[in-house]
Amino acid sequence: MALKCIIVDDEPPATRILENYIGKVNFLEKAPVFNDSLKALEFLNTQNVDVIFLDIQMPQLTGLQISRIISKDIKVIFTTAYPDFALEGFELNVVDYLLKPISFERFYQAVTKLNSGHKTVVAAQNTAPDFLFIKTDGKNKFQKIFLSDILYVESLQNYVCIHTKQQQIITHSSLKNVVESLPSADFIQIHKSYVISLKHIESTDNFSVFINGKELPIGATFKDSFFEKIEENKI
């Protein structure tokens, strides 16, 4: 039996991503989307819901406040763009905490925690590929690039530059869009202008990451999450 989900988030791009992800997982059932926290509570008072994907920064009532009001039987997965809320979220004993932009891989890791009794199978056609097609100049012109070849991605205002050892590919996109296409287990944002490949890190210090002889800055907003990832793999 599928778990009935609702999404409570006032950002349409975020809700579209979550709806798409939920549709890919065969033990989740899509249910209404709410951009108003009070309307979400009204729904929860009359309908049975198993899981709520809950944005923390909401008008009227925050996600943290909602999580304290709803039934303890409803499993909560927080979603937010602000990493500072993570500690308080976990103190509320939620299932997981997803930092936007959310990759499908990270989403799937979270939902597999919902119920160990469910068979966690995703349709084969939805398996994440190990490559991307990058739009280049000209109509229908794309260049294939393997994720393993990417050193880092740099934001250039309305463009991004994808750096590999062999070449640099510039495409019209935002860094946010690129992040959503990369597996969070292998890539991490370290600065408002840089996303890096963890496997290609040569060394770090308190302020910089070194990749392929290039020094990249670590932004204050991303510092804690980056070094938490480093801690996971240290000896």
Side-chain angles (χ1 to χ4, degrees):
M1 185 175 178
L3 297 172
K4 188 175 182 180
C5 308
I6 69 167
I7 300 167
V8 183
D9 196 316
D10 60 344
E11 298 177 4
T15 61
R16 287 194 293 269
I17 289 170
L18 287 171
E19 284 186 285
N20 178 44
Y21 289 172
I22 290 170
K24 292 182 177 182
V25 181
N26 64 356
F27 58 85
L28 299 180
E29 175 188 338
K30 285 196 288 186
V33 174
F34 297 92
N35 57 20
D36 183 302
S37 54
L38 295 180
K39 289 183 179 179
L41 285 177
E42 290 175 5
F43 181 86
L44 292 170
N45 286 333
T46 59
Q47 302 291 326
N48 292 324
V49 171
D50 299 304
V51 186
I52 178 171
F53 292 90
L54 183 57
D55 186 21
I56 291 181
Q57 290 292 87
M58 292 285 294
Q60 298 176 320
L61 288 174
T62 69
L64 295 172
Q65 291 171 322
I66 294 171
S67 68
R68 295 186 181 102
I69 295 171
I70 62 176
S71 167
K72 300 303 180 185
D73 294 331
I74 300 174
K75 298 178 180 179
V76 176
I77 295 179
F78 278 136
T79 64
T80 185
Y82 302 95
D84 296 341
F85 289 111
L87 179 59
E88 186 173 356
F90 280 121
E91 287 174 348
L92 292 169
N93 196 31
V94 299
V95 173
D96 209 336
Y97 176 98
L98 298 177
L99 186 63
K100 299 175 182 178
I102 303 165
S103 69
F104 178 71
E105 181 181 10
R106 183 67 186 87
F107 171 87
Y108 190 65
Q109 289 175 353
V111 298
T112 54
K113 300 176 184 178
L114 289 168
N115 191 334
S116 59
H118 282 270
K119 190 175 180 181
T120 56
V121 177
V122 178
Q125 63 267 29
N126 292 322
T127 302
D130 62 354
F131 59 86
L132 296 173
F133 284 106
I134 308 300
K135 182 83 168 64
T136 57
D137 292 336
K139 185 178 180 180
N140 292 330
K141 290 189 68 176
F142 295 87
Q143 183 166 343
K144 183 178 183 180
I145 183 168
F146 286 95
L147 299 181
S148 59
D149 291 336
I150 298 175
L151 301 173
Y152 61 93
V153 183
E154 179 181 8
S155 174
L156 303 171
Q157 294 184 338
N158 295 326
Y159 294 82
V160 295
C161 181
I162 300 172
H163 296 259
T164 72
K165 286 186 176 180
Q166 296 78 27
Q167 60 185 327
Q168 298 177 4
I169 304 169
I170 296 178
T171 185
H172 188 273
S173 182
S174 68
L175 193 63
K176 179 180 178 181
N177 287 340
V178 174
V179 168
E180 291 174 352
S181 301
L182 296 173
S184 60
D186 301 317
F187 293 86
I188 189 168
Q189 187 165 1
I190 62 165
H191 186 275
K192 65 180 181 180
S193 298
Y194 294 101
V195 172
I196 65 168
S197 166
L198 292 165
K199 68 177 288 186
H200 289 294
I201 293 174
E202 295 170 348
S203 63
T204 75
D205 59 30
N206 199 38
F207 305 101
S208 305
V209 175
F210 297 85
I211 296 179
N212 197 37
K214 174 76 172 180
E215 181 179 1
L216 304 176
I218 301 173
T221 303
F222 305 94
K223 188 173 183 178
D224 288 346
S225 58
F226 171 67
F227 282 107
E228 284 174 8
K229 181 68 72 171
I230 296 296
E231 284 286 330
E232 291 175 7
N233 296 280
K234 79 172 186 179
I235 58 172

